[in-house]
Amino acid sequence: MQVSVETTQGLERRLTITVPAESVDSAVKARLQQLAKTQRINGFRPGKVPVSVIKKRFGKAVRQEVAGDVMQRHFYEAIMQEKINPAGMPSFDLTKDEDGQDLEFAATFEIYPEIEVKGVSEIEVEKPVVEIKAKDLNDMMKTLQKQHATFKEVKRKAKEGDKVTIDFVGTIDGEEFDGGKAEDFPLELGKGQMIPGFEDPLVGAKTGDEVVAKVTFPEDYHAEALKGKDAEFKITVKKVDGLDLPKVDDEFAKLFGVEEGGVEALKEEVKKNMQRELDQTLKSKLKENVIAGLLEKNSLDLPAALVEQEVNALREQAKQRFAQQGQQANMPELPADLFTDNAKRRVSVGLLLGEIIKQKELKVDEARVDALIEQTASAYEDPSEVIEYYKNNQELLQQIQNLALEEQAIDAILEEANVTEVKKSFDEVMNKKA
């Protein structure tokens, strides 16, 4: 086998491979002989069909089949011989293929770029330091109260967070318009359900009040006839309902599955959940900062094949999300442009972290793997069952091992980077996340 390597452009390579004639011809002959034993042709007994007859009838197809096998096999032998690392599947071009002559073909493909990770010691990373305080816990308890609150009619002026029941009629230049009228319409103030300005006169109104809202429909409003138009709504307040918060007691704790220990036990459980979410958020934020710094210092020439693979993966994930929301029916193919930038970023990150793992000779830390699995399992009712499931599912376990190795690479970068700790409040960090 003769091999020549040519750089066509960027990361693209072209191998021209020559395979000796006897190697190809003998493979064709062997396959024709095997075919002769199984083919049934009129005038010949089963298994007694002459190879010459088989060759005349099937020779061209058999040679094409053999040529395909030969190209696949010798391509892999060639890249091992030349110590080349392809970044995707090759395209084959059969240039010479005649009986009794050497077979010649070209394989075109991309290789992985040579990577030299630079500027790690120059990366500036902000590391938030957060402590969950009593106020944070109290705020979370109030949030839980609101989640289980009910509305109850009140005899006072409406405020943000209340629900009002209203009748309204909308006019433009004194004329009513389609869709601008409703009766017994429930509206929760502060949710932004209506166009800007509609709620303004309702805050401070009480049952029986009649108010007027002067608004301008947005230029991007869904109804063409109303875009950018000034309108006036006459609104009658028929009822005001305020939030009726449940009392925080043992019965309230039971709503969250806390049967023993009452409110104090509930608070302990809530704080534990807050800490878990905070830790995960801080870890994700720190990782984002490290990766952003790494990408800023390192620009890579990316193989188009890898970017295309990542685009397809992201597109498939999007399809699955739409399917879960019941929106997949008759949905057109999502264009690659929607995913290209994200795909390029992910490929760059993967190559850079992979090089760090290689340079540092990092191996999967099984203790970290166990910790990641336990962290995931802690959010479930029966953590031991989830841990067992992960340990016995090779695909899921491999994903966790890859994540652990990625975290180890991030830690290796942090050891060299300039890390500045910044104190932040729980609300600041988690609200930013939201």
Side-chain angles (χ1 to χ4, degrees), residues 31-76:
R31 199 160 297 189
L32 288 171
Q33 289 173 340
Q34 184 65 31
L35 204 56
K37 296 177 182 179
T38 59
Q39 287 299 310
R40 292 180 176 274
I41 297 178
N42 292 336
F44 299 96
R45 287 179 295 165
K48 299 296 183 180
V49 182
V51 173
S52 59
V53 175
I54 293 294
K55 183 177 181 180
K56 185 176 181 180
R57 180 171 292 192
F58 302 107
K60 187 175 181 180
V62 167
R63 188 167 184 88
Q64 286 179 342
E65 188 178 305
V66 168
D69 292 344
V70 166
M71 287 191 292
Q72 288 281 355
R73 185 171 69 254
H74 283 79
F75 169 72
Y76 289 111

Side-chain angles (χ1 to χ4, degrees), residues 243-290:
L243 276 179
D244 186 24
L245 298 176
K247 186 178 179 181
V248 179
D249 55 15
D250 289 356
E251 290 303 312
F252 181 74
K254 289 178 181 179
L255 293 174
F256 300 90
V258 178
E259 297 293 335
E260 297 181 3
V263 175
E264 290 307 311
L266 174 60
K267 286 184 176 180
E268 288 179 17
E269 189 65 27
V270 169
K271 188 173 183 179
K272 189 191 303 180
N273 291 336
M274 290 172 66
Q275 189 66 57
R276 182 176 62 246
E277 291 185 17
L278 174 63
D279 291 343
Q280 189 59 43
T281 301
L282 291 176
K283 184 192 290 186
S284 297
K285 186 63 179 175
L286 188 60
K287 179 180 176 180
E288 286 175 17
N289 291 342
V290 169

Side-chain angles (χ1 to χ4, degrees), residues 4 7 10 52 57 120 124 128-129 161 197 207 212 253 300 317 329 349 355 371 395 421:
S4 67
T7 299
S52 59
R57 180 171 292 192
V120 173
E124 301 286 341
V129 178
T207 301
V212 175
L300 300 179
Q317 290 172 13
V349 171
E355 183 62 22
E395 184 178 347
E421 292 190 349

Side-chain angles (χ1 to χ4, degrees), residues 168 170-172 177 179-180 185 187 189-202 213-223 226-233 235:
F168 62 82
T171 58
I172 295 177
F177 56 90
F185 184 83
L187 177 64
L189 301 179
K191 292 289 188 179
Q193 293 173 253
M194 309 297 280
I195 60 174
F198 186 93
E199 292 184 12
D200 293 351
L202 290 170
K214 295 183 178 182
V215 304
T216 300
F217 283 93
E219 292 293 342
D220 60 352
Y221 195 68
H222 61 84
L226 300 179
K227 290 181 176 180
K229 295 291 182 67
D230 292 328
E232 186 174 281
F233 286 91
I235 308 170

